[in-house]
Amino acid sequence: MMTQAAIDELIARLRVEIPGLRIVDKDTDPTMLRIDKVVGFFPRLVGKTSAFLTRPMAFRKTIYVPSAVRLDLPKFFEVLCHEATHIIQQEHRWWRWLFWYFSPQIWVVATLLAVLAAFVGPWGLLPLAALLAALPWPSPWRLAAEAEAFAVSLCAWSWLGFHPQPMFKWYGGILSGMPYYRAARTLNSAYDALERFLRKLEQDSKSAGAIVLRLAGDVLHAHKLFPARVIPVVRPA
C-alpha cells in the first residue's frame, strides 16, 4: 500500500535528478486559475464545467497537481512519474519541445500574419492555408512524448499491484481521441507507440522514462512496497 513517506522520498529523489523541481497545487495556483478563465470560457458558455484544473500537467520544472490527486496516493505516485518524464524530456531547449509537441496545430499562428499580409497583394491570402493545420491531424511528436510518459505510467501501475491492461486501453483511447487532439491516427497506432516505448524503457537506460522508473523502483524497494508478483504490461487483445 502506497504511503506518504514513499511519496515524499520519490519527490526528494526527483529533486536531485531535476534541481529546482516544484510541486504546485494546480487548482489554487494563481497562474493556472487565470488560464482556466480563458480555456474554460467556451465550456462554461454552453453550461459545461472546465476540466483544465482537474488535469495534472508539467511545464519547465514545475508539476501542477490537482489537490484531489494528492489524496489518492497511488495516483499521485503515477502522476509524479508521468509528469517528471515530461520535464526530463524538455530539459534541454524546452521551447523546441513545446513547439514540436503542439505541431502541426501550432502552425495556425501563421494565420495571424494574414491580417497584415492581406494588404500587400494576392500573396497575402496564402497564409490562410495555415488554418488547415488547426484540424486534428496526427502528431508524431506529441504521440512520442505522451507514449513515453504513458509507458512509464503503465509500469508504475503494474509495480503498484494494479492490473495495467485497463489503463493500456484507456491511454490508447485518449491518444487516438480528442483529449490529445488525435495525436495517434488510430487506436492501433496508439497501441504500437505504447509498445515501442515500453521496449525503449528496457533498452535505453538514458531515456527520460527509464531515468524516472529507476528512481521510482528504488523508492518502492526501499519502502518494501514492490508487489510479490508484478503483473506484466501486455497490449490489449
Side-chain angles (χ1 to χ4, degrees):
M1 185 176 181
M2 180 52 58
T3 64
Q4 186 61 51
I7 293 288
D8 292 341
E9 183 170 344
L10 176 61
I11 292 173
R13 290 177 183 246
L14 287 173
R15 282 178 171 151
V16 172
E17 182 66 35
I18 309 169
L21 175 68
R22 298 169 61 235
I23 313 295
V24 174
D25 285 336
K26 187 178 183 182
D27 41 3
T28 60
D29 180 73
T31 300
M32 293 294 108
L33 291 172
R34 286 193 291 270
I35 294 174
D36 180 62
K37 288 182 179 180
V38 177
V39 301
F41 175 76
F42 288 107
R44 295 188 185 100
L45 200 63
V46 295
K48 295 184 177 180
T49 303
S50 170
F52 176 74
L53 294 176
T54 67
R55 295 172 178 168
M57 62 174 284
F59 179 67
R60 301 292 297 274
K61 293 187 177 185
T62 301
I63 297 177
Y64 295 93
V65 182
S67 55
V69 170
R70 287 182 179 267
L71 303 177
D72 184 345
L73 295 185
K75 177 63 177 175
F76 193 15
F77 186 89
E78 178 269 327
V79 163
L80 289 172
C81 292
H82 182 106
E83 301 302 341
T85 300
H86 283 319
I87 289 177
I88 296 175
Q89 287 172 345
Q90 56 183 284
E91 187 174 13
H92 302 291
R93 298 185 179 180
W94 60 269
W95 50 269
R96 185 171 66 180
W97 184 92
L98 285 177
F99 177 85
W100 288 114
Y101 184 92
F102 289 107
S103 291
Q105 285 73 32
I106 199 172
W107 288 100
V108 298
V109 175
T111 61
L112 298 176
L113 300 176
V115 177
L116 295 176
F119 292 101
V120 299
W123 292 104
L125 298 177
L126 290 179
L128 291 175
L131 281 172
L132 294 174
L135 297 174
W137 303 109
S139 172
W141 308 281
R142 185 160 61 251
L143 177 60
E146 290 298 345
E148 180 178 22
F150 279 131
V152 170
S153 293
L154 287 170
C155 292
W157 286 124
S158 177
W159 290 358
L160 292 173
F162 293 88
H163 202 300
Q165 193 171 56
M167 298 310 299
F168 204 125
K169 289 182 178 180
W170 171 252
Y171 295 153
I174 60 177
L175 285 173
S176 58
M178 290 308 291
Y180 284 92
Y181 213 57
R182 300 194 184 280
R185 184 171 56 86
T186 64
L187 180 61
N188 279 331
S189 61
Y191 286 168
D192 290 343
L194 289 168
E195 283 191 319
R196 183 169 70 253
F197 278 98
L198 284 168
R199 290 193 297 270
K200 184 178 180 180
L201 292 176
E202 296 178 352
Q203 299 167 359
D204 185 0
S205 62
K206 294 183 179 180
S207 67
I211 292 171
V212 172
L213 279 182
R214 183 171 63 251
L215 298 176
D218 289 346
V219 169
L220 292 178
H221 279 298
H223 290 260
K224 297 181 171 56
L225 295 174
F226 227 99
R229 176 179 175 273
V230 174
I231 303 173
V233 180
V234 180
R235 180 183 181 135

